[in-house]
Amino acid sequence: MRRLDPDGAELRAITDLVQLTGKRVIDVGCGSGRLTRMAAEHADSVYAFDPKEESVKDARESLPAGLRGRVSFRVHGAEQLDVARRRFDIALCGWSL
């Protein structure tokens, strides 16, 4: 497996711009969970979704057990996003556009 961003530049760039601690985060197009995991390490909660079921499965399986209670995974595209009455403080969208 090739590791993307081995020096952590992406995490530093995100945390230089926003404070994740205590926030409600949505990860649009979570893929294999690269940003989901990083966000879950700091945020109160993460709603992570992707249209590819296999990607969501990989993301869920790669998340350490201690972080699983903070993350809600779903399989759907952005156009099917329906989280009535839920608000998010931060939206992450890495490589999904």
Side-chain angles (χ1 to χ4, degrees), residues 20-38:
L20 295 172
T21 304
K23 303 295 184 182
R24 295 168 306 223
V25 176
I26 186 168
D27 187 2
V28 179
C30 67
S32 63
R34 182 181 93 264
L35 295 180
T36 305
R37 179 182 179 151
M38 179 272 302

Side-chain angles (χ1 to χ4, degrees), residues 8-27:
E10 185 176 44
L11 172 60
R12 281 193 308 280
I14 291 169
T15 56
D16 282 352
L17 295 171
V18 295
Q19 174 64 273
L20 295 172
T21 304
K23 303 295 184 182
R24 295 168 306 223
V25 176
I26 186 168
D27 187 2

Side-chain angles (χ1 to χ4, degrees), residues 19-94:
Q19 174 64 273
L20 295 172
T21 304
K23 303 295 184 182
R24 295 168 306 223
V25 176
I26 186 168
D27 187 2
V28 179
C30 67
S32 63
R34 182 181 93 264
L35 295 180
T36 305
R37 179 182 179 151
M38 179 272 302
E41 290 172 352
H42 303 279
D44 267 1
S45 64
V46 180
Y47 181 89
F49 70 92
D50 196 279
K52 296 180 181 174
E53 187 172 350
E54 188 66 28
S55 292
V56 172
K57 180 180 177 243
D58 291 346
R60 184 180 286 119
E61 290 174 356
S62 71
L63 197 64
L67 297 177
R68 290 183 184 154
R70 294 182 184 187
V71 181
S72 175
F73 287 103
R74 298 291 184 271
V75 177
H76 60 77
E79 59 279 352
Q80 287 88 30
L81 181 62
D82 184 15
V83 286
R85 299 182 184 259
R86 289 190 61 186
R87 304 248 191 262
F88 299 98
D89 300 303
I90 298 166
L92 298 176
C93 184

